[in-house]
Amino acid sequence: MTSTIRVKLSLMMFLEFFIWGAWFVTLGTYLLRNLGASGTQVGVAFLTQSIGAIVAPFIVGLIADRFFSAQKILGVLHLAGAVLLWRASQAPDFGSFYPSILTYMILYMPTLALVNSIAFRQMQNPQKEFAPIRVLGTLGWIVAGLTIGWLNWEQSNSLQLTFLMAAGASALLGVFSFTLPATPPVKKGQSSSVGDLLGLDAIGMLKNRSYLTFFLASIAICIPLAFYYGFTNPFLNEVGMKGAAGVQSLGQVSELLFMLAIPLFFSKLGVKKMLAIGMAAWVLRYVCFAYGGGENGYWLLIAGIVLHGICYDFFFVTGQIYTDNLAGEQFKSSAQGFITLATYGVGMLIGTLLSGRIFDQYQLAAGAHDWRMIWLIPAGIAAAVLVLFLLLFKERNTVPASPETAGADTAPRLANAN
């Protein structure tokens, strides 16, 4: 890979995740403050991510893999996305906002797979080359949050500008995409079933009792994850944290650092301990949020945010590695698609709907909320999942896999962490 291509791919990753981080983190606060939305409506808005995740395999599998070059589809989707983000910024109420953001997420979620495809196709050794490029995506998300905090958009009630900033970056990436290395379709002329696209070929893995336990735990743990995505920013703003979006970027810094340390932890602890630590961190994070706030509890809020790295990496990244090892060469891609559909599709769908209802249920007078109860509920859910997992999951010393899977590339498993 030439240095020019490396720079282009790095900029592509930076913009891809800058766009998402520019509006997604503060979406809940924007809807509650600017559009007068209810908690249930906030949950429905975040549900668009799940809908996009379910639709994404069809767009990538039916179009990008068979008919058009990935970089061209990426460009078209981001140009269309820029228009939709601009329309969302102009919406006077939730009813007119929702169609724009729903359509946008249906177009955006496939781009996560497209940028990975474009990057991998240019690499001789993805295991070594991918991480330094993908890390620019995490940096883009961090810069977006720091920019919002630095410009004081949350305190000045100017979060409409986050959508305009994201629209500008989306238009830029849309145009820039047409200069990326050519990535022609790899399955031109081939046919696939719905099961292929959704990864359902890997459903046989559920016959393994321990993997079934992990699979169900992955769906269940996404329920408390939805609370974090949807209501952390409104919570931090309500308790008076300055530049909350910027402070939240510490979660991505933590995620990045722990991701780099995953190989070391994995070899020392093994699958079960890694997954259990990740789930325990979920419990601890929400307990920190429940009892944080005020001058004496500020450090608890910071601790809860920083724990995001352990929450995400120890459970989701470890789970992706476990899935890959267990699947074997024949079902690697199907297995990753299957677990993604289960988590970001089914799990997040349940979580976003539940979190919105809980938020509304614990609303107090004058727009305040009983945040302690709001956070103790996902803490309890995560604790229950942890206990059941520890009781039912049996780690094996050897993982059944074909000889070809030994030392298989792990880069694709880290591609969509954020």
Side-chain angles (χ1 to χ4, degrees):
M1 185 194 307
T2 66
S3 57
T4 300
I5 291 178
R6 185 176 292 106
V7 169
K8 283 186 175 183
L9 295 178
S10 298
L11 180 57
M12 174 190 70
M13 287 293 183
F14 180 91
L15 290 172
E16 174 75 13
F17 288 91
F18 177 91
I19 293 164
W20 197 2
W23 65 273
F24 192 75
V25 174
T26 56
L27 174 61
T29 301
Y30 173 76
L31 293 176
L32 294 168
R33 285 185 182 177
N34 295 60
L35 301 187
S38 65
T40 300
Q41 289 174 322
V42 172
V44 169
F46 278 95
L47 182 61
T48 59
Q49 176 183 255
S50 298
I51 297 173
I54 293 171
V55 173
F58 293 94
I59 294 180
V60 175
L62 291 175
I63 300 176
D65 284 350
R66 286 168 177 76
F67 298 109
F68 302 102
S69 296
Q71 82 280 2
K72 294 180 181 178
I73 299 176
L74 182 69
V76 171
L77 292 179
H78 275 298
L79 289 174
V83 175
L84 290 166
L85 286 169
W86 176 82
R87 285 186 59 188
S89 73
Q90 306 302 307
D93 52 44
F94 183 81
S96 54
F97 172 87
Y98 184 74
S100 294
I101 210 63
L102 172 61
T103 308
Y104 175 76
M105 287 304 281
I106 290 174
L107 297 183
Y108 177 82
M109 293 303 288
T111 67
L112 295 173
L114 289 173
V115 295
N116 293 334
S117 176
I118 293 168
F120 287 133
R121 294 276 293 276
Q122 308 306 316
M123 297 177 182
Q124 297 293 327
N125 187 349
Q127 188 168 355
K128 293 183 178 180
E129 296 176 283
F130 183 77
I133 290 174
R134 173 55 183 84
V135 76
L136 267 293
T138 301
L139 181 61
W141 186 290
I142 293 170
V143 170
L146 292 175
T147 300
I148 295 170
W150 177 60
L151 295 174
N152 205 35
W153 283 348
E154 291 159 290
Q155 278 67 48
S156 63
N157 202 31
S158 302
L159 288 177
Q160 177 189 15
L161 297 175
T162 61
F163 294 94
L164 296 176
M165 178 172 70
S170 186
L172 177 60
L173 180 53
V175 174
F176 178 70
S177 295
F178 291 97
T179 72
L180 292 171
T183 311
V186 295
K187 297 181 180 179
K188 195 169 185 178
Q190 299 181 26
S191 60
S192 293
S193 65
V194 172
D196 293 334
L197 297 174
L198 296 179
L200 299 184
D201 288 345
I203 200 169
M205 294 173 63
L206 299 183
K207 295 178 182 178
N208 180 313
R209 179 179 171 183
S210 288
Y211 189 77
L212 176 61
T213 300
F214 161 73
F215 181 82
L216 295 176
S218 296
I219 295 175
I221 207 68
C222 279
I223 297 174
L225 173 62
F227 282 78
Y228 181 80
Y229 280 165
F231 295 102
T232 299
N233 190 258
F235 162 64
L236 295 176
N237 277 286
E238 190 170 310
V239 298
M241 179 177 284
K242 301 295 184 182
V247 177
Q248 279 183 259
S249 66
L250 290 174
Q252 275 61 50
V253 174
S254 168
E255 177 189 324
L256 176 61
L257 294 176
F258 279 105
M259 188 183 298
L260 296 174
I262 280 289
L264 175 62
F265 283 116
F266 199 90
S267 63
K268 296 290 185 181
L269 300 175
V271 173
K272 185 172 184 176
K273 290 180 181 178
M274 288 281 287
L275 295 173
I277 290 172
M279 285 185 280
W282 289 82
V283 180
L284 182 58
R285 166 162 65 181
Y286 291 125
V287 170
C288 287
F289 282 174
Y291 293 95
E295 293 183 3
N296 296 327
Y298 185 82
W299 69 271
L300 287 173
L301 301 182
I302 300 299
I305 293 170
V306 172
L307 279 168
H308 178 72
I310 300 178
C311 292
Y312 191 93
D313 292 338
F314 274 58
F315 190 86
F316 287 103
V317 176
T318 298
Q320 289 164 355
I321 295 172
Y322 171 58
T323 296
D324 187 85
N325 287 340
L326 195 64
E329 192 66 29
Q330 183 179 0
F331 296 114
K332 281 183 181 291
S333 297
S334 295
Q336 294 298 334
F338 187 44
I339 194 66
T340 299
L341 176 68
T343 51
Y344 281 95
V346 179
M348 286 292 290
L349 185 150
I350 298 171
T352 50
L353 294 177
L354 178 63
S355 62
R357 293 181 181 274
I358 295 298
F359 179 84
D360 286 338
Q361 182 177 344
Y362 288 98
Q363 183 170 351
L364 305 175
H369 297 84
D370 183 354
W371 286 107
R372 179 164 296 178
M373 283 304 302
I374 291 173
W375 293 124
L376 286 178
I377 289 173
I381 295 172
V385 175
L386 172 61
V387 171
L388 291 174
F389 175 82
L390 290 173
L391 291 174
L392 298 175
F393 186 90
K394 306 296 182 183
E395 182 176 1
R396 296 180 178 179
N397 292 329
T398 58
V399 179
S402 63
E404 292 82 4
T405 62
D409 169 38
T410 61
R413 298 187 290 266
L414 308 181
N416 291 328
N418 59 61

